[in-house]
Amino acid sequence: MRQLVFAAVTAAAVAFFAGGLALAQAMSDDDDSIDQNMIADDLAREYLKKDLSAETAVRIALITRRDELDVFAQPDVADADALDDKFLLFVAEIRAAFYRDLGAQQAAAYLTDMQSRIARAADVAQGLYEAGTMGLLDMMRIQAAQAGFNGDVALARATAAIENGRLANLIRVNPDEIKVPPRFLDVPPEPAFEPETVADSPDIHWAIHASYIAYCAARERAWNYQEIALPKRRSVAEQVTVRAYMQSDVFTVLSELSGVGAITLTTIEAQRDFWLAENALRVAEVLHVEPPPPPRLGVGLPLALADRH
């Protein structure tokens, strides 16, 4: 298990030093006394120009926190194994923060888009009310549900800001400099790897086994939402919504928006939880404390939007 993490970290370190040397070579014609700190900082900025990934987040932290991490490179430390464990957990914390941030950003972006769709439906309802084809009680129900949803969007944006700040703090950059990709990588149709089951103690053996069970369950859940549940629900919603708008049935429109919104957020959450489970599996043998569960992304998605009773 530990070899998996060391391989990833080693690759990051190699990329860091190789990139630094390349950058130094490119600059050396102009200045023979290159400041290595400036080289490192320039490399970190290069990483930040593109969409971030869990691995590049680790690479940036290796650069921006290099003074703090010097202790991990000391060959004569008293307890090298304990130091190795701390380093692996440091890497895992950054990866987890990236996945949490990406999930929160996706949820906030989706809910913001959904907010505009609900506003459009509410405008249609307002027109129906003014034309006398919708009653005051129905109009008030829609307005109340819309107001509640707007509050949920504000909460989602706050969660995204918190997760973004958490990641930025870990990798020591400004939150505004972080650009996350628009979506998670696809969840694989089968478990990507199986952990080593040979361990020095029953406790470690069980920790790895339990983490693998959680990883497999998270993968199956996320894959089913990603590949089956969400595409089919979207297809249904598109057809029903078109007919509902033609019939001026605002409550059906809102019902479909609510239904597809709920399953979209659940898919994002399931993908995030899969990558968090994969990350936890990588360090199961050294992770002695259960991390706090990440926040739900569905907030109070308004099923009440469809409620006219």
Side-chain angles (χ1 to χ4, degrees):
M1 177 66 59
R2 185 171 299 182
Q3 288 87 333
L4 288 170
V5 183
F6 274 128
V9 175
T10 300
V14 168
F16 163 51
F17 290 116
L21 289 173
L23 186 59
Q25 183 63 41
M27 297 171 65
S28 60
D29 293 338
D30 298 325
D31 189 347
D32 293 332
S33 58
I34 297 297
D35 185 332
Q36 294 301 311
N37 286 327
M38 183 173 64
I39 294 172
D41 292 339
D42 286 344
L43 183 58
R45 282 191 287 272
E46 286 299 313
Y47 282 133
L48 288 168
K49 289 180 180 179
K50 302 177 182 178
D51 284 347
L52 204 64
S53 70
E55 311 314 323
T56 52
V58 171
R59 294 177 188 181
I60 291 170
L62 290 174
I63 297 170
T64 59
R65 301 181 65 171
R66 55 191 178 274
D67 292 339
E68 302 172 52
L69 300 176
D70 278 348
V71 64
F72 294 118
Q74 301 302 320
D76 56 348
V77 293
D79 192 346
D81 286 342
L83 211 54
D84 288 344
D85 289 351
K86 288 182 181 180
F87 184 55
L88 296 182
L89 293 177
F90 167 77
V91 171
E93 184 181 16
I94 293 171
R95 288 170 56 88
F98 168 78
Y99 295 134
R100 289 171 61 117
D101 185 28
L102 177 52
Q105 300 301 328
Q106 276 191 265
Y110 178 75
L111 287 172
T112 298
D113 177 68
M114 189 175 173
Q115 187 178 35
S116 66
R117 293 169 182 257
I118 290 173
R120 177 188 170 197
D123 287 343
V124 171
Q126 180 67 34
L128 294 174
Y129 171 69
E130 292 174 356
T133 55
M134 175 177 282
L136 177 60
L137 289 179
D138 279 348
M139 186 64 209
M140 291 173 64
R141 288 188 182 101
I142 291 174
Q143 290 174 334
Q146 183 184 18
F149 179 75
N150 289 343
D152 289 339
V153 174
L155 180 60
R157 288 173 177 165
T159 300
I162 290 170
E163 297 296 353
N164 183 243
R166 186 199 313 274
L167 176 60
N169 180 62
L170 282 172
I171 65 176
R172 301 293 193 262
V173 301
N174 190 302
D176 294 337
E177 296 180 282
I178 294 177
K179 295 187 292 184
V180 296
R183 60 190 299 272
F184 282 101
L185 294 175
D186 285 343
V187 173
E190 300 293 338
F193 61 87
E194 291 189 19
E196 297 173 10
T197 56
V198 178
D200 295 333
S201 76
D203 289 342
I204 294 177
H205 180 90
W206 166 245
I208 295 172
H209 183 61
S211 293
Y212 185 63
I213 292 174
Y215 161 81
C216 289
R219 186 215 60 79
E220 184 171 358
R221 176 175 182 255
W223 189 87
N224 276 284
Y225 271 103
Q226 168 187 291
E227 299 295 328
I228 302 174
L230 179 58
K232 289 186 180 297
R233 188 64 183 83
R234 280 178 173 168
S235 180
V236 169
E238 287 172 3
Q239 297 180 47
V240 173
T241 300
V242 169
R243 291 199 299 266
Y245 266 123
M246 292 175 63
Q247 298 168 1
S248 299
D249 186 352
V250 179
F251 280 94
T252 296
V253 171
L254 293 174
S255 176
E256 289 304 308
L257 284 174
S258 182
V260 77
I263 204 167
T264 299
L265 291 175
T266 301
T267 301
I268 294 171
E269 188 176 271
Q271 290 174 322
R272 177 203 64 186
D273 290 351
F274 163 75
W275 291 108
L276 287 172
E278 191 246 19
N279 183 50
L281 178 60
R282 289 176 179 270
V283 291
E285 65 184 278
V286 297
L287 192 60
H288 303 301
V289 179
E290 286 284 335
R296 295 296 303 273
L297 298 179
V299 289
L301 197 65
L303 295 177
L305 284 173
D307 181 17
R308 61 193 308 174
H309 301 296

